[in-house]
Amino acid sequence: MALPTYTFDAIIIGAGGAGMRAALALAESGSQVALVSKVFPTRSHTVSAQGGITCALGNVHPDDWRWHMYDTVKGSDYIGDQDSIEYMCEVGPQVVYELEHMGLPFSRLDNGRIYQRPFGGQSKDFGGDQAARTCAAADRTGHALLHTLYQRNLAEKTNVFSEWFAIDLVKAADGQGFAGVIALNIESGETAFLHARAIIFATGGAGRIYQSTTNALINTGDGIGMALRAGLPVQDIEMWQFHPTGIAGAGVLVTEGCRGEGGYLINKNGERFMERYAPHAKDLASRDVVARAMSLELRAGNGFDINGVSCVKLKLDHLGADLINSRLPGIRELSLTFAGVDPIREPIPVVPTCHYMMGGIPTNRFGQVINVDEQGKEHVVEGLYAVGECACVSVHGANRLGGNSLLDLVVFGRAAGLDVKEKIRDLPLRSVGEAELDAALSRLNRWDNTREGESVSQIRFEMQKTMQEDFGVFRTGEHMQQGLDKLLQLQQRLNHAAFKDHSRVFNTTRIEALELDNLMATALATAHAALYRTESRGAHSREDFPKRDDINWLTHTVYHGEGHRMTKRAVNMKPLNVKPFEPKERVY
Amino acid sequence: MSEAMRTVKFKIYRFNPEVDIKPTMKDYELTIPDKQDMMLLEAILRIKAMDDSLAFRRSCREGVCGSDGMNINGRNGLACVTLLSALKQPIELRPLPGLPVIRDLVVDMKVFFEQYAKVKPYLINDEPPPAKERLQSPAERKKLDGLYECILCACCSTSCPSFWWNPEKFIGPAGLLQAYRFIADSRDTAKVERLEALTDPFSVFRCRGVMNCVDVCPKGLNPTRAIGHIRSELLAEGN
């Protein structure tokens, strides 16, 4: 049976904020674009972002994008690429104004301008007083942003392949780059070849490698898995952000905007403990700093016990019902539903929870994917792009600042779309042969032809448990090595795993099996990279190497799937128009 | 010492078009710790770990993505924000009513999304945008509260008798809520055209005020009120 083939100028895989912004940038080009998403676009995880999108509009106080840049470089613990950070912070206001013009219902200040709130790690004047730089639509900014982008795509009549799952990249017959992807129509269960000149990965994060995560069930690292299987590397993948405030037990996110609005954390003695760990910024220190402080409090026995779960609490009741109902209505709803607590009256039980993947597929600031060969030489992969959480354009380095992920999505989704638009005429439609198509289908065939074996859910459970126990907020070489050994065994078991139901129509078990391949690839990459980086920096906190080591590790790590090889890659310290920010000790 | 356990009983609608001629209700039992409560979605995920042929949609598991709308003991809701303890046993789960079933709890939402698209759910403003943001006062912005938060889960439209009867012609509560979200936006300049498109006997006027939509909305929104506002605007426009 011949594989159905659909041909486009560009295909975008993933319809969250980054994918849909890229689609809009391409919409006016007159090109044929397909937006491929395993869920209906507004089900993408961008919808769960709460607190806002950061950029220097200066609506609340005089502001400067260079101050935002300084905060972001410092927040990254100096391994963010300064050319990308410069671009993001400088173009940020324009991109946010575009969102407003599209109809995004931002909250407003009395003078009618976009409301901005304080967020963690923000300062005025290069490390001075707390800034208020995060533009918000109440505490539903991600929902408002994602729906607005979907609505604009409706207006532009973007061609959406909704509920199609991308399985693997298809290599070009001549070995030069990629010709498209194999994708599976979830409703019919049939596969097709999507053939295109340009491919943009916007597949999001992989927080489901951990047991406790704020991430949606769909965050399974599909782009990371596809890239690694195609022989492409991933960068800084050891860097996982643990958000200080996930609801204890449920893992559901509580925005940093709560602390931006004046909330603070308390231990069981009622003490505002962040005053001890970050005397200046207190509860609005960077997320890695707050998550570590919380973990130390819990370790010292200063936690509350909620049904056997040790946690601290987020106090909001002093803010008053009016503020909570107008600025944090979604948080009140989530807290009532998942913690049984009304924050107007009682504090919310919270624990540090896996939240964000700083690492990803390395790209330049146009979103073009970068490959690193055996000799360490870098090449742009013509026609292949990655944007959003699956990418590592490296604006977040070792620790992302709150409000910078939504900005990353729209800035680099737009940049990649514009770059493809400019180059589309020169990009070839690469030819493929049976061998390349078969290779991209081999994974699905493996699953479809295995009838007996261990279940997907059992292996996934053990992988998540291993990651949670051995690659959490604090890490040691010994535990990580044990964790890695377990993961390698799990990978062996996964090679022989099976599911029972082999029907075609809307078989979500088949999709979960394909997703587990991607989760496992991401977990293994994380484990190798975390063992490789023998220092503590940003979110990567090693008890056996507690100090930052700029002599050896002011660098990106690069993981190559084949042979689990690790190499280093230089951080870009050359912004185009401002002076570089030199590494300093990072205090809040 | 082993923990005290209890059994929770379910009846779940099963239909796989590849093998089934007609749907059946299948019994499931889940054993969980006596004192433990959990969201319905978590329970369904555990059932799926035992029977991997069960199909349903899910994503955010926190009530903001709108994937897991289903009919729970006769009432539409989101599985991820419904506590087991709030439900009478056996817990009966069916697909959202009134839409074609693809498989098990998965429905074909095509007609629902078409009705949404029909209201042009995007800002229309024919003036060139300013260099910065368009201004909007907090009072003007407040008019969008209770409208923009819709998650397109379809719990409302699929509980509406008027939508069951005329899914192709009556826009339904979800679509009309969004129609009003843009009519009410001070930045939109297409109010007259938007209202004109709704003057036929079906689009808005098939709403009979049953208010099932208000009753089931998992976000606490009120489509009936929005529909009332549209009717008032239509009258004010002299239609």
Side-chain angles (χ1 to χ4, degrees), chain A residues 206 208-209 220-221 224-225 228-229 456 458-464 466-467 483-484 486-495 513-528 559 564:
Chain A
R208 286 282 155 181
I209 63 170
T220 54
I224 303 295
L228 288 170
R229 283 189 297 275
V456 167
Q458 178 61 31
I459 295 175
R460 186 175 55 213
F461 171 79
E462 290 185 39
M463 175 205 67
Q464 289 169 337
T466 303
M467 292 306 294
L484 173 59
K486 275 188 233 165
L487 290 175
L488 289 167
Q489 285 166 19
L490 283 167
Q491 173 65 67
Q492 291 303 315
R493 286 160 58 187
L494 177 58
N495 292 339
L514 294 165
E515 288 174 335
L516 183 57
D517 288 332
N518 297 327
L519 284 168
M520 191 66 83
T522 311
L524 277 167
T526 301
H528 282 98
Y559 167 83
H564 303 300

Side-chain angles (χ1 to χ4, degrees), chain A residues 101 163 213 500 505 509, chain B residues 18 48 52 57 61 132:
Chain A
H101 297 155
E163 297 185 328
T213 173
K500 292 198 187 80
V505 173
T509 298
Chain B
E18 289 165 79
K48 187 170 172 63
D52 71 10
R57 293 187 176 103
R61 64 81 175 88
K132 294 186 171 184

